[in-house]
Amino acid sequence: MDEPGQHSMRLASQRALLQRLIAQRGLQAIVAASLDENESVSKEVTTGLQFQLIQWEGKVIQPLVP
């Protein structure tokens, strides 16, 4: 698990990664990204790609409360 944008990948590289994932038959890929910087960047990287966007408010991973 890693976040491509965290490593300051060029937009073209992020797009190439997503295209390769989408091209794999029988593969389900989950890509997590923080969109707090600029949502237009994610739109540019994903334009024309077929994917399902799931937005999550708050923290995805958090301590269990007994």
Side-chain angles (χ1 to χ4, degrees):
M1 261 173 88
D2 204 354
E3 183 179 346
Q6 181 180 1
H7 300 289
S8 300
M9 287 175 65
R10 292 188 345 240
L11 297 182
S13 296
Q14 290 182 42
R15 183 170 179 79
L17 173 64
L18 295 176
Q19 288 173 318
R20 282 185 170 226
L21 290 172
I22 290 170
Q24 299 301 309
R25 293 195 174 270
L27 173 71
Q28 177 182 3
I30 299 172
V31 178
S34 300
L35 303 177
D36 55 346
E37 290 182 21
N38 190 346
E39 192 173 340
S40 65
V41 171
S42 64
K43 287 183 180 179
E44 182 177 340
V45 170
T46 59
T47 296
L49 301 179
Q50 183 180 0
F51 67 98
Q52 179 181 359
L53 175 64
I54 301 171
Q55 293 181 304
W56 193 287
E57 296 296 325
K59 299 194 181 285
V60 176
I61 299 174
Q62 51 189 314
L64 295 175
V65 179

